[in-house]
Amino acid sequence: MAEYLLPDTLAEAGEMMAAHGRSLAIMAGGTSAMRCGTCRGRRGRGIACIECAGPRLVSVPNSAYVMGIQRLGLDRLEADNGVLNIGAGVTMRNLAASDMPAALCQAARRVGGPALRNMATVGGNIFARQPYGTVAAMLLAMDAVPVFTGPDGSREVALAEFYTSGAIAAGLLTHIECPHPQGRLVFVKCARQRFAGPTVITVAVRIELETGGKVAAARIALGGAGETPLRAEAAEQLLIGEKLEAPAIEAAAAAAKAACAPADDPVASAWYRRRMVGVYVARALEQAGEGEAP
Amino acid sequence: MKAKAEMDGIGGGGHAVGQPIKQRELDSHVKGQTLYYEDVKVPRMLHLKIHRSPVAHARILNIDTSKAEQSDGVVAVLTYRDVPATKVWSHFEAIGAAPGAEPILAVDKIRWKGEPIAAVAAETLSQAEDAAAKIKVTYEKLPSVFDVDEALAPGAPELFDCWPGNHYVFPDDHKAAQIRFGDVEKGFAEADHLVEHVYRTRPIEQAPIETAGCVAVPGSDGRYTIYTNSQALSTTRNSAAEIAGLPVARLRLVGGTAGGGFGGKVDMAIEPMALLAAMKSKRPVKYRFTREDEMTVSSTRAAWRVSIKDGVMRDGRITARHVITHQDIGAYLRNSIYGAFKHASHMPGPYTVPNVWADVYCVFTNRTPSAAMRGFGVMPASFAIEMQMDRVAKAIHMDPWQFRLKNAFRNGDMKAHRREVWDAALVETIQAAARLTAKDLPEEYRQMSSAKRPLSAPRIAGG
Amino acid sequence: MTAKRVSLTVNGRGENIAADGLTTLQQVLREALDYNSVKDGCTQGSCGACSVLVDGELRIACLLPAGGLQGAEVTTLEGLNARNSTSVIQQSFVEHSAAQCGFCTSGMIVSAQALLDENPAPSRDEIMEAISGNMCRCTGYLPIVEAVASAARKLAKGDGA
């Protein structure tokens, strides 16, 4: 039995978090947390679902308190002064329908079916177990920065660093800030169904080309290819100074494939995921090469 | 007559064939008003959770239910000691699957990961889950086998003392369901080519959207009622009564509406357990597979290994077909022999082959026991046969459509299980498919018919 | 720890229910309020058989914490049965034999209604996307897609108005 808390202000939320510490689980849309919370595999059956497969700082089923964030005004979606500001409570539906960069909207639209997109949030997606975290992979390629609010004020951590340092929340995630992306953005997802297909892997890339068509900056982010969304940095490096043509694309795809560490789960085997990383990184880079600059 | 036909939703004249018939529950389905077993609410209902084995093959040294019995909300805990009479599933003996060897609750041995050991009936499902997790079972682990190759290897661990080598032995002392027709060796000797290959299928979960479940309710008159979504209502009643040691007259089953089944609700995995718990607790008991149970412990379609050897003439006539099939039935027999018989009777497929030899074995492994799923045993037979037909056609450089048309059975042909064909339609079906897909067939093949054979001799082989 | 009381409207009727932190809307609707059209196929948000509308938007009831629904307006298929547009969808399902075992049907029709409320003239792809969170194992999606398309055409012509 957990108690459901519904704070009206950030200050109130902060007090609740301070008072209850790790016995409090934060719930945004609930699509991940409720699934974990109602999972009947938790009681010593030894069968782990995707939600449980990995360390979770707060165990939802065993939490004494569950805190909803829907009254905290975290559903803002703004672009000003060259910075995108995406509230943690923005739903996938609202993100998909927004005037944010097209690839980010596409990523949101590839999450679940319509009912799930009405519930699932950007903030939840940052913490989602792999292979979920489709939008997080796109944000990673966009150099996004999650902003947390804690007792000592707000704290910003680059998403890349957040994931490489264990994905530990520094307070309540209020929003994600993101420089207006330069260059070309591409999002591709490998799934077994066209609509609402669970993720095998996702690939998000951002490519800046200099005049002459050589790559000046590259971001390649992978979803479903490790314990968290991750950057394929070796692959990014291989592209710098190269034209987005077959040899460079193949080399980058091979490097991404070699560096990823996907898991086996009921959706796909690690073996298949790794192969798909190679295929989809190449596809995403080809599309980036063909695309128009935004 | 007409009034009755209309009541049944059948169009005028009482003829159903060729008439669209409105499904009986369609109007209530679309309004969400169809009553499924779970929509029947019974007061004071308990919930059942099974403690299952985490290991695939082991001897049970001890079962300790004391902590579960003291757990919150628990009303009854059952082990094999609470199962009267035979303590095993015996109902499949009616189709020749004897002797019954699958315990309702494990006695001294575990043969698959997920095998039920104890059942807890509690006021809420959470309480039942908590209590079931407190049951302590001590095991002596045994080596296990997970496919037919491992199970049939010399020296492989054996699941049953009574079935050495992990081969099920049919009650007539045969190890296999057999087809013997003509002389395959003679057919192979006559053939221009021999084509041999092994085909395998993997287990599949039926995955109905409504998981298997039931509610067993004790009545004030000493009778019991089970509300269930079983696909096999009357056999379930008989077997549940037999397992519980009740006269059949004291057990009533209410069902007929299932949220999908596909064979997954045929093998009565839940009703006897719920009934025993209702008898012990004297309360209504609900036993429902969670989605996880459905995916991990309910019967699946078996894994099949089908080895086919064909003799074929240069002109495309098949002279002999030799089949050895191993059905990986998992840890217990359930109704697998029915699948084996259906598989055998499907050989050599819808083709006239003068010499046929088939052996279909049921092999025990430490996998989840398998059971029916859509065309029990026939799907792997068709899959293997049609893959083989393509392979043979390729080997003799013949168009696979023409190859099938040439061998398709015709009325008057004798099938391998000695029934004369009288309603053949394969030739016409292939011709129709060719027209629909703009496949060009030579005139000779367009003129073929199930009614007569264009080749010189009628193909009615002796056997 | 106490179960919290939540006041909400279900199918036009005011309800006051008890909910702890992990109580789902599905549990409330099925177990406390006896709305049997809300099915339980997976309890993990995968099958869509418990689809309902919350404030007019499609939701998966088994993933929705009831504790956060103070003041919400919940509509199940029982509530939609009174709507003309729903009866047009239902009639199309009947005409296309778009329900076999019926277990996914409630959720399908709620999803179809949510689609047509928002997009009265959906393309085939939009219909498929709209029901992509609703699994069907026996009917097959083809007759369902046809039924929704036909309902949209009828509603556009004013048949159900």
Side-chain angles (χ1 to χ4, degrees):
Chain A
M1 282 277 280
E3 188 176 343
Y4 191 87
L5 306 174
L6 199 54
D8 287 305
T9 62
L10 281 174
E12 209 184 317
E15 283 163 26
M16 288 172 177
M17 290 171 71
H20 304 307
R22 285 171 68 169
S23 64
L24 178 142
I26 297 169
M27 176 131 51
T31 55
S32 177
M34 285 302 276
R35 193 170 166 173
C36 183
T38 56
C39 172
R40 285 162 182 165
R42 69 191 187 269
R43 296 176 197 271
R45 275 271 311 282
I47 297 167
C49 73
I50 290 173
E51 302 299 339
C52 311
R56 189 181 268 278
L57 286 179
V58 175
S59 159
V60 181
N62 297 322
S63 297
Y65 300 92
V66 173
M67 187 177 85
I69 62 159
Q70 59 265 47
R71 289 192 187 161
L72 301 179
L74 304 181
D75 49 0
R76 285 179 311 146
L77 200 51
E78 293 162 353
D80 47 26
N81 298 328
V83 177
L84 310 178
N85 186 322
I86 304 165
V90 170
T91 60
M92 292 300 154
R93 171 207 174 97
N94 288 345
L95 180 56
S98 72
D99 52 7
M100 288 283 150
L104 182 59
C105 298
Q106 277 165 25
R109 193 163 173 189
R110 293 300 305 272
V111 175
L116 194 104
R117 288 198 291 277
N118 288 343
M119 302 163 72
T121 63
V122 174
N125 205 267
I126 298 289
F127 294 99
R129 291 273 159 244
Q130 298 291 293
Y132 306 125
T134 294
V135 165
M138 190 70 239
L139 289 169
L140 186 56
M142 292 164 69
D143 294 331
V145 179
V147 181
F148 296 92
T149 288
D152 314 319
S154 66
R155 207 184 132 200
E156 299 179 1
V157 192
L159 194 52
E161 189 195 328
F162 173 72
Y163 283 133
T164 49
S165 62
I168 297 163
L172 174 68
L173 175 65
T174 57
H175 64 286
I176 290 113
E177 285 180 6
C178 187
H180 201 285
Q182 304 296 307
R184 296 169 180 183
L185 290 182
V186 175
F187 172 82
V188 287
K189 166 170 163 170
C190 172
R192 294 174 202 263
Q193 290 147 251
R194 197 151 57 104
F195 300 115
T199 303
V200 174
I201 54 115
T202 52
V203 177
V205 304
R206 185 173 68 80
I207 298 289
E208 288 176 50
L209 298 177
E210 53 191 41
T211 33
K214 287 186 177 163
V215 174
R219 292 286 181 275
I220 302 176
L222 309 175
E227 280 185 16
T228 64
L230 50 93
R231 287 253 306 271
E233 286 177 45
E236 292 169 358
Q237 287 307 315
L238 286 174
L239 291 173
I240 303 297
E242 301 290 330
K243 286 192 166 182
L244 271 189
E245 286 166 359
I249 289 176
E250 280 163 25
K257 191 174 153 185
C260 68
D264 284 318
D265 68 25
V267 176
S269 65
W271 177 88
Y272 182 65
R273 284 203 159 97
R274 186 182 291 277
R275 291 177 77 99
M276 290 305 103
V277 164
V279 171
Y280 279 76
V281 166
R283 279 185 201 173
L285 292 173
E286 279 160 21
Q287 281 184 36
E290 291 157 7
E292 295 298 314
Chain B
M1 180 69 197
K2 194 180 175 198
K4 182 173 183 311
E6 277 171 3
M7 251 168 48
D8 289 347
I10 298 170
H15 297 291
V17 176
Q19 301 289 321
I21 299 174
K22 187 170 160 184
Q23 199 220 358
R24 258 169 250 264
E25 291 169 308
L26 202 45
D27 290 323
S28 69
H29 280 351
V30 299
K31 291 192 156 78
Q33 291 167 345
T34 304
L35 275 187
Y36 298 82
Y37 91 92
E38 216 178 359
D39 302 326
V40 178
K41 309 279 160 73
V42 185
R44 286 173 40 80
M45 185 172 77
L46 301 175
H47 298 262
L48 199 71
K49 179 71 185 178
I50 307 291
H51 181 92
R52 295 176 180 275
S53 164
V55 295
H57 200 188
R59 250 183 279 284
I60 296 177
L61 302 179
N62 186 44
I63 303 171
D64 177 4
T65 60
S66 54
K67 286 213 171 91
E69 276 155 33
Q70 287 153 19
S71 192
D72 284 351
V74 170
V75 178
V77 178
L78 292 87
T79 65
Y80 68 92
R81 294 182 197 90
D82 298 287
V83 183
T86 62
K87 293 186 167 49
V88 294
W89 297 90
S90 50
H91 49 286
F92 296 121
E93 289 178 20
I95 56 165
E102 179 172 7
I104 311 301
L105 290 169
V107 180
D108 50 12
K109 203 176 171 194
I110 291 300
R111 295 183 177 88
W112 61 286
K113 180 178 171 178
E115 183 153 1
I117 298 169
V120 179
E123 300 288 348
T124 69
L125 183 59
S126 282
Q127 288 171 334
E129 287 173 339
D130 286 342
K134 291 176 187 164
I135 292 170
K136 289 272 174 291
V137 182
T138 323
Y139 303 97
E140 178 196 332
K141 283 192 195 168
L142 298 169
S144 34
V145 287
F146 293 111
D147 68 31
V148 291
D149 296 332
E150 283 177 19
L152 298 176
E158 288 176 342
L159 274 78
F160 296 93
D161 295 336
C162 61
W163 290 307
N166 296 317
H167 265 296
Y168 173 70
V169 182
F170 291 80
D172 60 0
D173 274 346
H174 281 101
K175 277 189 178 174
Q178 300 179 328
I179 299 279
R180 298 289 184 268
F181 184 68
D183 181 346
V184 283
E185 289 310 323
K186 185 169 147 277
F188 288 150
E190 289 165 7
D192 294 323
H193 297 275
L194 298 178
V195 181
E196 206 172 349
H197 201 75
V198 183
Y199 304 90
R200 291 168 184 268
T201 67
R202 301 177 72 181
I204 298 174
E205 162 58 33
Q206 299 86 350
I209 304 289
E210 180 200 42
T211 60
C214 71
V215 183
V217 185
S220 54
D221 55 357
R223 295 172 77 196
Y224 292 84
T225 303
I226 303 179
Y227 299 90
T228 171
N229 57 17
S230 169
Q231 288 179 266
L233 216 54
S234 49
T235 31
T236 300
R237 181 174 87 143
N238 294 348
S239 63
E242 189 185 327
I243 288 162
L246 281 178
V248 172
R250 281 178 58 196
L251 183 60
R252 187 169 78 106
L253 264 78
V254 180
T257 301
F262 322 112
K265 292 171 180 167
V266 166
D267 60 345
M268 47 205 107
I270 47 170
E271 293 85 355
M273 201 61 252
L275 176 61
L276 291 171
M279 290 168 75
K280 184 164 183 184
S281 65
K282 302 183 170 57
R283 296 265 299 269
V285 174
K286 178 177 183 176
Y287 178 22
R288 172 191 190 275
F289 277 170
T290 62
R291 175 55 53 192
E292 251 180 303
D293 291 336
E294 197 68 57
M295 300 304 289
T296 53
V297 302
S298 79
S299 303
T300 62
R301 174 182 271 162
W304 295 71
R305 189 183 75 181
V306 187
S307 313
I308 308 184
K309 181 180 175 185
D310 284 350
V312 62
M313 306 301 288
R314 246 174 248 110
D315 68 4
R317 280 175 299 140
I318 303 172
T319 58
R321 175 161 283 173
H322 180 277
V323 181
I324 297 179
T325 293
H326 291 95
Q327 183 188 182
D328 174 353
I329 62 175
Y332 290 103
L333 187 61
R334 300 199 177 164
N335 44 20
S336 292
I337 63 158
Y338 183 66
F341 287 139
K342 285 188 71 166
H343 184 93
S345 16
H346 199 66
M347 294 299 170
Y351 306 103
T352 294
V353 180
N355 304 292
V356 180
W357 191 102
D359 267 5
V360 183
Y361 296 92
C362 295
V363 180
F364 292 108
T365 65
N366 294 107
R367 294 225 292 216
T368 308
S370 66
M373 182 176 175
R374 311 193 91 175
F376 198 4
V378 171
M379 188 285 300
S382 294
F383 164 74
I385 289 167
E386 296 310 324
M387 292 293 105
Q388 174 76 357
M389 291 301 282
D390 282 348
R391 185 175 295 270
V392 176
K394 199 172 175 188
I396 59 169
H397 309 291
M398 189 168 176
D399 176 78
W401 295 65
Q402 295 175 23
F403 177 59
R404 284 181 173 81
L405 281 165
K406 192 159 242 182
N407 289 285
F409 56 23
R410 266 71 166 176
N411 288 336
D413 286 357
M414 184 61 72
K415 292 194 246 182
H417 51 292
R418 294 177 181 74
R419 295 275 175 183
E420 196 178 297
V421 178
W422 59 274
D423 57 351
L426 181 58
V427 170
E428 288 73 16
T429 306
I430 294 175
Q431 288 164 339
R435 284 193 299 275
L436 285 169
T437 55
K439 162 77 185 173
D440 198 21
L441 286 174
E443 182 62 18
E444 178 195 348
Y445 290 87
R446 288 205 300 271
Q447 292 305 321
M448 281 181 177
S449 150
S450 290
K452 57 181 189 298
R453 202 164 256 293
L455 304 173
S456 52
R459 301 269 300 278
I460 304 173
Chain C
M1 282 169 286
T2 50
K4 157 187 179 140
R5 303 301 301 188
V6 176
S7 293
L8 70 169
T9 307
V10 181
N11 297 330
R13 220 176 86 166
E15 305 281 1
N16 185 267
I17 50 116
D20 79 36
L22 296 174
T23 304
T24 65
L25 177 61
Q26 179 187 51
Q27 287 171 315
V28 168
L29 293 173
R30 268 199 74 79
E31 290 162 27
L33 304 177
D34 286 341
Y35 286 110
N36 283 336
S37 79
V38 183
K39 296 299 176 201
D40 182 358
C42 68
T43 338
Q44 51 176 243
S46 298
C47 76
C50 64
S51 301
V52 297
L53 303 179
V54 175
D55 298 327
E57 271 190 11
L58 195 63
R59 293 281 191 279
I60 303 168
C62 75
L63 291 185
L64 201 62
L69 291 175
Q70 176 68 34
E73 249 182 67
V74 177
T75 311
T76 70
L77 184 57
E78 284 89 348
L80 291 177
N81 277 337
R83 277 180 64 176
N84 269 339
S85 55
T86 304
S87 69
V88 172
I89 298 171
Q90 289 166 327
Q91 194 49 42
S92 291
F93 268 64
V94 170
E95 282 161 14
H96 289 83
S97 292
Q100 189 176 318
C101 85
F103 204 76
C104 71
T105 309
S106 308
M108 281 288 180
I109 289 177
V110 174
S111 288
Q113 182 69 63
L115 167 72
L116 298 183
D117 282 348
E118 217 172 276
N119 177 1
S123 68
R124 205 182 161 77
D125 261 11
E126 285 168 337
I127 296 173
M128 286 168 68
E129 186 172 12
I131 61 165
S132 63
N134 297 81
M135 284 193 189
C136 165
R137 286 281 293 158
C138 35
T139 313
Y141 298 102
L142 244 142
I144 297 171
V145 171
E146 297 292 340
V148 178
S150 140
R153 286 193 298 270
K154 282 186 209 165
L155 287 164
K157 275 194 285 174
D159 288 8

